[in-house]
Amino acid sequence: MKTKFLLLTAILLLFSNCAVIRPGEAGVKQTLGKFSDDVITEGTVIYNPFISKIIKESTQTNNIKLVLSLPSKEGLSVDSEISILYRLEQNKIPSVLENLGQEYEDIITSVFRSASSDVCAKFYAKDMHSGMRSTIEEEIKIKMEENLLKQAEGIELIAVLMKSIRLPRGLANSIEEKLQAEQDAMRMEFVIQQAKLEAERKIIDAEGERDAQIILATGLTPEIIKIKSIDAFNRLSASPNSKIIITDGKTPMLINPNE
């Protein structure tokens, strides 16, 4: 029994001083409170559990989600869902743990709150709901990087994303009314333009018809009229249908020889 007990104790001690670092993780050994500069990657590491421990951190992209009100230039509060995408630089994890501790996400959140207040206060509320949003996100990201570098290296900010922007009700209604008015103005401008084009088309048609009549009138000489009359009689005489043609002996009845 004593041998089995010692064997079981040895097995437990063996497993208690082993740590497994999985893909997407990195480990740092902390001995008597001091962090090692060596970063442990995938695999198994053996350590003395009485004086040391292995702190494992993710090296994958992480997402911090926040819901908060952002101030605007005109003093309004704009509610928004925020995503902060970041990852730890593997070789600088000891620096992050030493300077910020394992609760470094709280530091990132605090830095964001400060940076977002400074940046958003320079923009109008409507800008956060328009194409200016990407500019605001980039400026917040740059401001956060500056503030984080003052405290520790090793946190790589990938993006700051502002989602589900909710403007104050009064401002949202004003923006919708303005957009509707702009659409109505554009629609009216289109109708007016179409009317102008139609009027120009009618003028061109009328001018073309007038010019055609002038050309036709100037080209109808007595000789032309006689030739057309003879041609008409020839076509009529060739027709198999019975017909009665009344003339004055000179020209058809349809043509007034005095005109």
Side-chain angles (χ1 to χ4, degrees):
M1 290 293 296
K2 185 176 181 181
T3 303
K4 291 182 178 179
F5 177 77
L6 292 175
L7 181 61
L8 180 61
T9 303
I11 293 173
L12 291 175
L13 287 174
L14 178 63
F15 279 101
S16 66
N17 64 359
C18 289
V20 178
I21 309 300
R22 295 176 175 82
E25 292 182 335
V28 177
K29 182 184 290 186
Q30 184 181 23
T31 303
L32 299 176
K34 182 176 177 59
F35 291 103
S36 171
D37 293 332
D38 297 327
V39 178
I40 307 164
T41 55
E42 299 177 24
T44 302
V45 58
I46 299 175
Y47 63 97
N48 185 343
F50 298 104
I51 60 172
S52 302
K53 63 179 179 177
I54 301 297
I55 298 176
K56 294 184 286 185
E57 295 292 343
S58 172
T59 55
Q60 298 175 332
T61 298
N62 297 293
N63 182 14
I64 299 176
K65 295 182 179 180
L66 301 172
V67 178
L68 67 160
S69 295
L70 302 174
S72 66
K73 188 173 183 179
E74 61 266 60
L76 299 175
S77 293
V78 179
D79 295 332
S80 176
E81 294 181 13
I82 308 296
S83 284
I84 305 171
L85 303 181
Y86 78 95
R87 63 170 163 254
L88 298 180
E89 297 180 29
Q90 182 173 293
N91 60 334
K92 295 182 180 178
I93 291 178
S95 174
V96 173
L97 294 176
E98 183 176 350
N99 292 284
L100 304 181
Q102 289 183 264
E103 306 299 326
Y104 51 83
E105 283 197 351
D106 293 340
I107 305 298
I108 295 175
T109 300
S110 298
V111 169
F112 170 80
R113 291 179 183 277
S114 174
S116 61
S117 296
D118 291 343
V119 172
C120 291
K122 299 187 296 183
F123 293 88
Y124 292 104
K126 62 182 181 64
D127 295 335
M128 304 180 197
H129 204 271
S130 66
M132 293 291 291
R133 184 191 303 186
S134 59
T135 301
I136 297 173
E137 292 172 342
E138 185 62 24
E139 289 197 20
I140 293 175
K141 176 175 173 288
I142 293 172
K143 187 73 173 177
M144 288 183 65
E145 289 173 338
E146 292 175 355
N147 292 339
L148 284 173
L149 282 175
K150 295 177 182 178
Q151 303 178 60
E153 295 182 354
I155 298 176
E156 179 186 358
L157 290 177
I158 299 171
V160 174
L161 305 176
M162 300 170 63
K163 305 180 293 183
S164 301
I165 301 295
R166 291 182 292 276
L167 298 175
R169 184 177 298 275
L171 179 60
N173 292 337
S174 298
I175 292 176
E176 289 180 2
E177 291 174 359
K178 180 182 177 182
L179 292 175
Q180 185 62 46
E182 290 176 351
Q183 291 178 355
D184 292 341
M186 291 175 64
R187 188 180 300 109
M188 184 57 65
E189 184 179 352
F190 175 77
V191 171
I192 292 172
Q193 186 65 24
Q194 289 294 105
K196 287 182 179 180
L197 292 174
E198 181 64 18
E200 291 176 0
R201 185 191 66 79
K202 290 182 178 180
I203 291 172
I204 292 172
D205 289 345
E207 290 177 347
E209 186 175 349
R210 181 199 63 192
D211 294 342
Q213 293 293 338
I214 292 173
I215 294 172
L216 183 60
T218 55
L220 287 178
T221 63
E223 290 76 12
I224 295 289
I225 293 174
K226 288 180 181 180
I227 293 172
K228 293 292 183 181
S229 298
I230 294 170
D231 184 57
F233 275 112
N234 287 334
R235 287 198 298 271
L236 284 171
S237 63
S239 174
N241 299 326
S242 60
K243 60 193 73 68
I244 298 174
I245 301 172
I246 302 174
T247 73
D248 60 354
K250 297 179 181 180
T251 59
M253 288 293 290
L254 295 175
I255 300 174
N256 187 349
N258 296 325
E259 293 182 0

